[in-house]
Each structure stands twice: as C-alpha cells, then as structure tokens.
Amino acid sequence: MSERKKIWKTILFCLFLFLALPAGSRTVEAASKPAKPTLSKVANVTDGVQITWKQVSGATGYYVLRKTTSGSYKRLANVSGGSNVTYTDAKAKDGKTYQYTVRAYNDSGTSGYRTGLTITRLSTPTITSISSTCNSVTLSWTAVTGASTYKIYRKVGTSGSYSLYKKVKSTATSYTDSNVEPGTRYAYKVIACKSPYKSAGSAKACKTLTDSTVETVDALYAIEADVKLTGSGTGYHAKLVAATATCAVSFGIQFDNHAVAPYTGKAAFLIENVVTTSSGGQYYSRTGFSSVNKTYHLMLTVSEGGVCDVYVDYEKVGSVTNSSLAAVIKNGSPIYLRVEGSARVNGDSVNATFSDIHIKEKGSVVETPVISIVYLTGEGITSTASAGTSPDKIVVSGTLSGLADNQDWDSAADFVSGIIQYY
C-alpha cells in the first residue's frame, strides 16, 4: 500500500471514531467572556462612596464605571481579582449625584453592564463637641454639603442599641436633648440625609451630671449658688464659704496673676482649707480651670468628720477634710455659711455675682435664707446685700484700696473682702 493511501486510511478511521461518539461529546468548549455583574448596593461611607457587586464566574477582574446625571460612563477603576467585589470611590465630591455600574473581564473579553445604581455623596458629619448638665445633653456637628436633613440616633446606657431619636433641618448643626435623667450615659450618632440617601454616622457618648443640690446631698451644712466672676488687675475671686471664727473651707472662682503654674494669670476653681493648729494652717488646691464672665453653679458641703465636698454644675469635683470643722461639729457649735468677693491688692477690681442661693444648716434645708451680717472689710468694696434680707441676687464689687504697699490678700486677708453671712 502506498504511503498516501495509508494516510487517507488513518484519516477516515479517525473520522469514523469521531462520528461514532454521542452528539453531546463532540462539542469542543471555547473560552468565553464573563457575564454582566449584578450590583448589590452603593453606599456613603466615611472614605467615599462604596460600590458592591456579586462575583461573576470566570472573571479575572472588574471595571468600575461612573457618570454624573448629565454625563456618560467613564472608567473609574480596575479591580483585579475575580473575588474582589467592592470598591470605594474616594474622589466623589460632597453634594454631587453619581451613577455607578460594573463590567467583568477575563482573557476572552469584557462583559456588558447593567443599569447603574445612583447615590448623592454625603460625607460623615463629625460630632465636634458634646457636653451635659444634670438635665440636658448638647451636641454639635460639622455641616455636610448636599444634606437636606440630619437624623440623630440615641442609645441609652452601655448595653442598649441606637434608635432614631430626632430629625432636624439641614441648617441645624447642634441639638440639645432635654429628655434625659441625671447620672445616665447617653450616646448619639448623627447621619446626614438627602432622601433616599444617607451618610455614614459618627458617634460620641456623654454622661449627664448628677443632680446634686442642697436638698439631695447627705450633708450637715451646704451652700449653693449660680456664681459669676469678673474683675481687673492682678487678682480677684468669688467664693462660697463654710466658716467659724478660727477655721474655714471656701470654694469658688479665682483669677490670680501670682498663682502657681499652670494657673498663673488664669481663672481656676480653688479650694482654700484653713485649719486651726498651733502654728496655723492654710492649704490651697485647684480642681481645674474656669473662666471669668461665665456663670457656674457651685456648691460647698460640710459633713461629719469635717469632710467638705465641692461641686461645679452639679458634678462633684473635689473634697478636703478640715479637722477643726470636725471638732466644731462634734461639740455642737455652729458653722456659718457665706458668700465672698475679694480683690488681691490696691487697684484690683472685683465684681462677684451670686444668685439663686440655697443653704442647708444642721441637716435641714433653710426655705428662706436670711442674711445676718454684711462684712465690708476691704476699702472700696461694696455690696448690694443688707442684713435681715433674703435677696435673689447679691453682688460684691469695687476697687480695693487702703492696703499698705507690701500687703495683699495673703498677708492682709482681713482687709480685702466683702462677706455676706447667713444665720
């Protein structure tokens, strides 16, 4: 047999075998381009707009496309890897509306794309401050371009969950929550919205202050008031005082150019603890910075053992013990409650305002506190108070004079003040 006949015989035999195979087995699969991806969602996150889609079989990567409402799709990103199905558009601009879609690709080609998903980019509001009193919490946040409203979510306690609490207009960047309980922890989350789209949320927590007043504290003596201090010169103060003829504890606001660092030339909440000893004793401690020309609610209490607690805006901020007051309490002698305004040296001015004053004596709240004595020990210092009255407000003010050139409120403490004492 010739060589040519052998080749044809082989070809015919192979063709016979091929035709003898079942029809389904004769198909030779060719590689194909991937299917269109299905988009799951687009959402505002802290870093931008996040696009999510479902994985496509056979894809080796994806193209993310973006367009504005009036534009056409442009390729935004190439996400390599068939199992990577999210992308965050960090270049999306606040307030602008975008439409996103995705195409899959492999070595055989690129898929088509489905109808895109639309979103307005809304950045996350940043809660810039959160503060509380015993009966309110105030929070502030940054404005978000494009937002039409803000939704405030609230969580009570540490184990609760967030729920929608309040919706406010886009012009608002702060909110005061007055539906709170003293001593309770609240957390807030603020979200910017432009229906039906919303931003991610930022959260902060705050604990309301304890509602501590002369009526609620367990103390033998207590005095509380709204206190505001202004003045000029090297030093001036406004204080609440619990005193006897030989010992005292005072608490209030003091500005002093000669205070120890870091309080030099600044206002602070100051405790002065004067103890009767053979050599005398006078001790100062500060509980933090304060401000002048700002009203604070202050309270000073005295309990068994001479323990004195001090409060700012209903929150306990410090405590001292005075052994001399402890002895006075033990022998049954009275302790006198006072308000006091003082200046440091000649030429210094003080304006100390005390309002809404309440006191407790020997464990009982005094319904109508009556002034017993007004001491104006500093030349140039005056007061609006007078003995035998119970005013809603007391102002101690004036410019100090009459001291020697080398004297100040430490060396001549008995000649620098206006003191109003209650029975």
Side-chain angles (χ1 to χ4, degrees), residues 34-267:
K36 299 175 184 178
T38 299
L39 276 72
S40 301
K41 66 176 181 178
V42 290
N44 283 300
V45 295
T46 302
D47 298 333
V49 175
Q50 187 180 75
I51 305 97
T52 306
W53 57 92
K54 293 183 179 179
Q55 184 175 346
V56 174
S57 176
T60 57
Y62 304 91
Y63 296 127
V64 179
L65 290 77
R66 184 184 80 177
K67 72 174 182 177
T68 59
T69 52
S70 60
S72 57
Y73 278 120
K74 294 181 180 179
R75 187 182 296 179
L76 178 65
N78 179 359
V79 179
S80 60
S83 61
N84 294 327
V85 292
T86 61
Y87 175 77
T88 298
D89 178 10
K91 295 183 179 180
K93 295 182 179 179
D94 287 350
K96 292 203 69 172
T97 301
Y98 299 95
Q99 190 175 89
Y100 295 89
T101 193
V102 178
R103 302 178 73 178
Y105 66 83
N106 59 20
D107 291 340
S108 296
T110 302
S111 74
Y113 56 84
R114 300 181 187 275
T115 302
L117 296 179
T118 302
I119 193 170
T120 297
R121 169 57 183 159
L122 298 170
S123 61
T124 305
T126 299
I127 297 178
T128 55
S129 67
I130 185 167
S131 60
S132 66
T133 66
C134 62
N135 53 16
S136 69
V137 176
T138 299
L139 59 153
S140 300
W141 59 88
T142 55
V144 173
T145 301
S148 57
T149 58
Y150 296 100
K151 289 183 178 180
I152 301 171
Y153 292 76
R154 189 179 82 161
K155 180 172 71 171
V156 181
T158 56
S159 59
S161 58
Y162 284 103
S163 60
L164 179 60
Y165 185 67
K166 188 74 175 179
K167 184 164 70 173
V168 297
K169 295 179 180 179
S170 61
T171 53
T173 54
S174 66
Y175 175 72
T176 297
D177 181 8
S178 299
N179 184 27
V180 298
E181 295 294 330
T184 303
R185 184 184 184 276
Y186 295 89
Y188 298 85
K189 184 184 293 184
V190 180
I191 292 175
C193 300
K194 183 178 181 181
S195 183
Y197 314 120
K198 62 182 182 180
S199 72
S202 62
K204 279 193 176 181
C206 186
K207 185 177 181 180
T208 51
L209 305 182
T210 304
D211 190 8
S212 299
T213 68
V214 297
E215 294 182 339
T216 61
V217 293
D218 183 15
L220 292 175
Y221 293 86
I223 179 168
E224 66 176 329
D226 292 328
V227 182
K228 183 171 76 171
L229 174 68
T230 59
S232 62
T234 66
Y236 39 92
H237 72 223
K239 292 182 178 180
L240 308 177
V241 185
T244 70
T246 57
C247 63
V249 172
S250 65
F251 177 65
I253 309 164
Q254 179 163 300
F255 175 88
D256 189 356
N257 277 344
H258 296 267
V260 296
Y263 300 99
T264 310
K266 297 179 180 179

Side-chain angles (χ1 to χ4, degrees), residues 222-223 237-244 247-252 272 300 302 335-341 354 419-422:
I223 179 168
H237 72 223
K239 292 182 178 180
L240 308 177
V241 185
T244 70
C247 63
V249 172
S250 65
F251 177 65
E272 183 177 4
L300 167 66
V302 184
I335 293 173
Y336 300 102
L337 300 175
R338 302 169 172 173
V339 298
E340 173 187 308
F354 305 87
I419 300 170
I420 291 82
Q421 179 173 296
Y422 289 89

